[in-house]
Amino acid sequence: MYSREELKSKAAGAATKKAALGQDVDLAQFETADVPHEYLQEEELRSLPDAEQKRLIMSGLDLTGKERGGTYFQKDTAVVHCSSKMEGVEVIPIKKALEEYDWIRDYYWKLISVDMDKYTASAETDLHNGYVIRCLPGQKSVYPIQACLYLDKEGLQQTVHNIIIAEEDSELHIITGCATSPHVKKGAHVGISEFFVKKNAKLSFTMIHNWAEDMVVRPRSAAQVEEGGLFLNNYICMKPVRTLQMYPTTYLVGDNAVARYYSIIVGSPGSEFDIGGRIFLKKPGTRAEIVARTISNGGRIIARGHLIGEVPDIKAHLECKGLLLKGGLIHAVPELEGHCDGVEMSHEAAVGKIAQEEISYLMSRGLTEDEATSTIVRGFLNVDIPGLPPQLRAEIDRAVEMSDKDVM
Amino acid sequence: MLLIEDLQVELAGNKILKHIDLEIKPGETHILFGPNGSGKTSLVMTIMGYPQYRVTGGRILFKGVDITGLPINERAALGIGMSYQRPPTIHGLKTRQMIDICSKKEIDVEEYAEMVNFRDFLDRDVNAGFSGGEIKRSELLQLLAQDPDLMLFDEPESGVDLENITLVGETIAMLLEKDIFHSDEKTIARQKRDRTKMGLIITHTGYIMDYVAADKGQVLFNGILSCSTNPREILNCISEMGYEECVRCTLEKN
C-alpha cells in the first residue's frame, strides 16, 4: 500500500526521534525553505564559476559529459540539470516521478522506514528533490551516470531522496559527488537512497564527498539484491566534515547475490565519522565483503561493519584497517553473526601506525623519509575494487591523489 | 671503495658488532660467512644505515665520504643498495611502481623484469604473498633498476629452488660485473681491470660462489671479524670443522 498521507503522518511522529548511532543534531538550526536556481543546459554547466567547477570536478563530475551516460545536478533544493544520453537509462527528478509514474510507488520508502529516526522523517516532511535512475532490463550502461548534490546556500538543510533501479540483466554504474560551494561553512545534508538490484543485474555506486568543515551529513541508504545480482558500493571522503554518520544496509535476498562495500575515509581534526555498513546474507550462495581504509590525522572515526549470515553456504569477509598519523581516534567495530552451520565468515581489523621497516625499505631505494611515508599512505588507500569501470577507478585515484597533501 | 674502521654497533642496548675493520676495493666482491646470530645481517644493515643499529664507535667511509651518520636514502643516493632476505610487504604499491622508484623512471620496466623472469609479478603489491624465490627475484630486479655501486646481499640463495638458483646466481654475477664474456674489443684481463662494482654477500651454503667469483671471504663470529682470506678455503674449513674452529682462531687473534 502506498499513501503519501500515511508516510507524512508516520514522519511527523518521528520528527524528534534520535538516531541509533552518531551524535544527535538539532535540525531546527538549519533552513529548509526552497532556494531557486535556474535550470541549465548541458553546455551551460561549463560556464559555472571556476571555483564551483573545481569543486564539482573534485567530486567526480565530468562537466564535458563525454565520459558520462547521463547527469543529474541538484543545487541546494533545485534541479539544475537532468538528462540521460543513453537509451534504456532513465534519469528523473524524484518529485516528477512521484507525480507522474505509478511504478515509483513500488520503491519509494520500501527498504527504509520513514520513521526510523528524525532524519528519515525530515526527508519525507521536507523533501526537496533527488533522483531516480533506472536501467531497463538487459541494458548495459557503457558510461557511468553522474549525479551531483551541491550545497550553495549557507545554513541550508538539503534533503533528498534517491531511488536507483537496475532491472533484470542490466548493468548500471553511477558516480555521485556531494560537495559544497567554497564559501559555504555550515549546512546539513540528509539523503535517502534506496537501491534495487534485480535478477542478474550489476550496479556500482561510487560516492565521492567534498564537504565543508561545519557540515552535518546523515545519509540513509539500503539496498536489495536479487538472485545473481551484484551491488558494489564505494564511498570516498577525504575532506573535513563536522559530523557524518551512515550505516547502509544491504539485503541479499536471492541465491548467489553479491554485495561489496569499499570505503576510504580521511579524518581531519574536528571531523567526526561514524561510518559502517551491514549486509544480510539471506540465501545460499550469497557473498558479502566490507572493506574499509581509514586514516586519522586528528579526527575521530568509528568504522563499523556487520555481516549477518542467515543460511548455510554463504561467504562473508570484513576488512577494516586504520592508520593513525597525527593523533585522533579510530575505533574499529567488526561484527560477524552466523546463524547456522555452514556459514563461512571472517574479519580482519587493524589499527596502527606506518611500520618503520617499510619506510626504511623505501628509503634504501632512494626515497626521502617524507616521500616514503606518502608512498605508503597512498598504497594503504589504494584498494583494488574488482568490477569497477576504469573511469570510476580513475576518479577514485584522483580523489586520493589530490588529498595527498591534506593527509600528510 | 668501502672502508670500515673499528666499527662498534649496538642493537637495543646489546653490543653486536665489535671493532670491525673491513675494506672492499672497487671491483671486489666479498663473501660474509658466520653462524646464525653472529651479526652478519647487522653488519649489512649498519652499512645501509638502519637507525636502530646504533654506531657507538668507529666509522664507515664510502667513496671517500664519511657516511656513518647519513640517513638511508643519502647512502642509496651515493650508490649503496641492498638485496634483503625478508623485505616487508608494501600494500597497495605495485612492483612496477617500486621499479620506477628504484630507477627514477629511467628504465623500461618490462624489459628489465624479463631478465629475472618477473613480468607476471609487476602488477602485484610489492612482496605480497611472494615465495622465497620470488622475493629474491624481486629484490634483484630492484637492484638492477637501482644500479648501485656497492651491493649488499643478505642470503640471496635462501629459499630459492634449484630451477631458479642459476638465474639468481647469474644475475648477481652480472650485477657485480663478474660475468665474463668474449669480446673482440676487451680482453678478459681488461674486463677484470674495468670492474668497479663492489659486493658483500652473506651466505650459509656457499652455493652462490658457484656463480660469482668472489675475491675474499670474511667470517663474522660473535660480532668479531675473525678471518679474512680466500672464500673457498673458509667454506672448506667450515664444512669440515664447523664454526668451532673460528672460536679458536678468534681467541688466538685477540
Side-chain angles (χ1 to χ4, degrees):
Chain A
M1 270 307 288
Y2 171 88
S3 146
R4 225 29 223 282
E5 288 68 39
E6 199 180 306
L7 288 168
K8 293 254 183 241
S9 97
K10 269 182 149 183
T16 57
K17 188 176 170 189
K18 288 184 183 176
L21 300 169
Q23 106 188 29
D24 188 49
V25 177
D26 177 14
L27 292 177
Q29 62 182 305
F30 302 104
E31 291 171 39
T32 55
D34 279 347
V35 184
H37 289 287
E38 205 185 330
Y39 188 88
L40 300 174
Q41 296 305 318
E42 190 178 13
E43 59 276 11
E44 290 173 307
L45 292 174
R46 295 192 285 280
S47 56
L48 290 167
D50 278 353
E52 204 164 294
Q53 286 200 29
K54 213 176 137 207
R55 301 281 292 189
L56 294 170
I57 290 166
M58 270 174 76
S59 296
L61 226 71
D62 181 341
L63 295 174
T64 70
K66 273 186 201 144
E67 297 266 289
R68 300 291 185 258
T71 301
Y72 176 86
F73 182 18
Q74 178 176 336
K75 195 169 183 178
D76 295 326
T77 65
V79 180
V80 169
H81 185 81
C82 181
S83 67
S84 170
K85 290 184 191 166
M86 254 183 316
E87 215 175 305
V89 179
E90 298 169 349
V91 184
I92 317 159
I94 197 162
K95 278 198 162 166
K96 182 174 182 227
L98 286 169
E99 280 162 19
E100 296 180 14
Y101 303 108
D102 280 342
W103 52 262
I104 196 70
R105 302 174 179 211
D106 297 333
Y107 303 100
Y108 189 67
W109 289 118
K110 289 301 173 196
L111 298 178
I112 301 169
S113 316
V114 66
D115 57 356
M116 184 167 90
D117 55 37
K118 60 163 107 169
Y119 310 105
T120 55
S122 173
E124 177 59 25
T125 312
D126 309 310
L127 181 67
H128 292 139
N129 221 319
Y131 51 82
V132 175
I133 300 176
R134 184 176 175 214
C135 191
L136 299 179
Q139 295 292 329
K140 313 262 181 209
S141 82
V142 184
Y143 292 110
I145 308 295
Q146 59 185 358
C148 180
L149 302 164
Y150 194 75
L151 203 77
D152 184 60
K153 186 171 163 49
E154 181 76 18
L156 179 77
Q157 175 195 322
Q158 183 186 51
T159 309
V160 298
H161 194 134
N162 311 314
I163 288 177
I164 296 96
I165 306 157
E167 297 284 357
E168 285 191 12
D169 298 307
S170 70
E171 182 173 335
L172 176 62
H173 300 280
I174 297 173
I175 179 159
T176 160
C178 291
T180 50
S181 277
H183 62 84
V184 169
K185 297 272 179 292
K186 184 179 162 182
H189 173 91
V190 173
I192 309 298
S193 298
E194 296 180 280
F195 301 90
F196 299 85
V197 182
K198 305 218 175 152
K199 196 173 164 189
N200 295 325
K202 183 176 169 186
L203 169 64
S204 87
F205 189 76
T206 300
M207 216 181 330
I208 300 178
H209 279 178
N210 284 297
W211 300 111
E213 282 177 27
D214 246 338
M215 280 291 293
V216 170
V217 184
R218 291 290 182 272
R220 295 286 177 263
S221 52
Q224 177 176 289
V225 188
E226 296 177 13
E227 186 183 338
L230 167 70
F231 177 48
L232 197 59
N233 187 23
N234 308 311
Y235 180 65
I236 291 96
C237 185
M238 319 282 292
K239 293 288 177 189
V241 57
R242 170 68 60 229
T243 162
L244 186 151
Q245 185 270 321
M246 62 175 183
Y247 198 59
T249 301
T250 293
Y251 306 92
L252 299 175
V253 298
D255 287 7
N256 304 314
V258 178
R260 295 204 190 94
Y261 291 5
Y262 298 90
S263 43
I264 300 170
I265 309 285
V266 174
S268 318
S271 298
E272 198 174 288
F273 290 89
D274 187 328
I275 52 138
R278 185 168 49 164
I279 302 174
F280 289 89
L281 298 99
K282 301 173 93 70
K283 281 287 162 70
T286 52
R287 304 277 179 268
E289 186 179 33
I290 297 179
V291 175
R293 294 275 191 282
T294 58
I295 289 185
S296 173
N297 44 29
R300 294 169 63 84
I301 302 172
I302 302 175
R304 303 174 192 275
H306 192 172
L307 297 166
I308 303 109
E310 299 186 352
V311 294
D313 186 29
I314 59 101
K315 245 190 201 172
H317 183 68
L318 204 159
E319 184 185 301
C320 182
K321 289 186 180 166
L323 260 189
L324 283 161
L325 289 186
K326 286 178 207 145
L329 168 108
I330 296 177
H331 182 173
V333 191
E335 288 182 80
L336 302 179
E337 257 180 71
H339 286 264
C340 57
D341 293 358
V343 298
E344 205 180 315
M345 310 175 80
S346 56
H347 81 70
E348 193 185 340
V351 176
K353 56 173 186 174
I354 297 177
Q356 183 60 45
E357 192 195 8
E358 294 176 27
I359 295 175
S360 296
Y361 184 52
L362 289 172
M363 285 174 76
S364 73
R365 302 299 185 222
L367 298 186
T368 65
E369 186 164 4
D370 285 349
E371 289 167 344
T373 307
S374 71
T375 300
I376 293 164
V377 168
R378 239 176 290 137
F380 176 81
L381 296 175
N382 179 16
V383 186
D384 286 327
I385 303 174
L388 195 67
Q391 299 102 326
L392 298 186
R393 176 75 250 179
E395 292 299 345
I396 292 177
D397 289 345
R398 215 155 51 91
V400 170
E401 202 67 37
M402 286 208 287
S403 68
D404 210 21
K405 287 175 216 90
D406 304 333
V407 177
M408 301 307 304
Chain B
M1 182 171 74
L2 176 77
L3 185 64
I4 296 177
E5 293 175 337
D6 193 32
L7 184 71
Q8 298 148 61
V9 173
E10 281 184 11
L11 178 65
N14 299 314
K15 288 194 171 75
I16 47 166
L17 294 175
K18 302 162 188 168
H19 305 285
I20 303 283
D21 291 299
L22 176 71
E23 183 181 350
I24 302 178
K25 294 199 175 87
E28 277 186 5
T29 291
H30 291 207
I31 305 285
L32 186 59
F33 297 97
N36 292 325
S38 59
K40 301 185 300 297
T41 296
S42 301
L43 179 57
V44 293
M45 295 295 254
T46 305
I47 298 171
M48 193 69 244
Y50 274 67
Q52 60 267 45
Y53 296 89
R54 206 166 67 83
V55 176
T56 56
R59 56 179 194 156
I60 307 170
L61 295 159
F62 180 62
K63 295 182 179 171
V65 181
D66 186 339
I67 61 165
T68 320
L70 287 189
I72 298 174
N73 57 306
E74 289 182 28
R75 300 184 197 212
L78 271 175
I80 302 180
M82 176 143 163
S83 159
Y84 293 79
Q85 191 188 3
R86 290 189 202 87
T89 300
I90 314 275
H91 291 287
L93 181 69
K94 304 294 170 208
T95 302
R96 180 187 301 284
Q97 296 169 294
M98 184 66 156
I99 303 310
D100 279 339
I101 288 172
C102 291
S103 74
K104 302 190 168 26
K105 296 194 177 172
E106 279 174 8
I107 62 160
D108 180 342
V109 176
E110 299 280 341
E111 187 188 314
Y112 273 62
E114 189 64 46
M115 288 155 73
V116 285
N117 192 16
F118 214 64
R119 283 177 67 166
D120 293 348
F121 296 83
L122 289 174
D123 292 312
R124 282 178 52 179
D125 288 359
V126 178
N127 299 323
F130 286 6
S131 72
E134 286 155 10
I135 282 179
K136 302 302 163 178
R137 274 146 61 207
S138 158
E139 289 294 297
L140 292 180
L141 175 55
Q142 291 174 48
L143 281 186
L144 282 165
Q146 206 177 346
D147 192 28
D149 297 321
L150 168 65
M151 283 163 259
L152 310 164
F153 297 90
D154 195 351
E155 297 199 29
E157 76 271 72
S158 74
V160 180
D161 58 35
L162 281 172
E163 206 178 323
N164 280 302
I165 188 80
T166 308
L167 176 66
V168 167
E170 288 177 353
T171 306
I172 294 176
M174 184 174 73
L175 277 162
L176 293 171
E177 303 170 328
K178 294 289 189 185
D179 50 342
I180 293 169
F181 49 88
H182 175 76
S183 150
D184 288 338
E185 286 123 55
K186 275 187 179 182
T187 60
I188 300 294
R190 162 65 67 183
Q191 285 181 31
K192 283 184 182 175
R193 274 201 304 278
D194 284 353
R195 278 179 198 150
T196 56
K197 301 288 184 190
M198 293 164 267
L200 183 60
I201 306 175
I202 296 176
T203 179
H204 274 293
T205 61
Y207 292 153
I208 195 68
M209 289 156 60
D210 295 343
Y211 303 93
V212 182
D215 300 280
K216 223 175 208 185
Q218 311 270 358
V219 178
L220 192 61
F221 192 85
N222 202 14
I224 297 166
L225 267 187
S226 61
C227 189
S228 177
T229 181
N230 181 296
R232 281 278 165 210
E233 201 176 333
I234 294 177
L235 189 62
N236 290 343
C237 173
I238 298 166
S239 324
E240 300 227 341
M241 287 171 280
Y243 283 111
E244 279 143 54
E245 194 58 24
C246 301
V247 182
R248 288 179 58 200
C249 292
T250 309
L251 289 174
E252 192 184 83
K253 199 179 165 195
N254 292 351

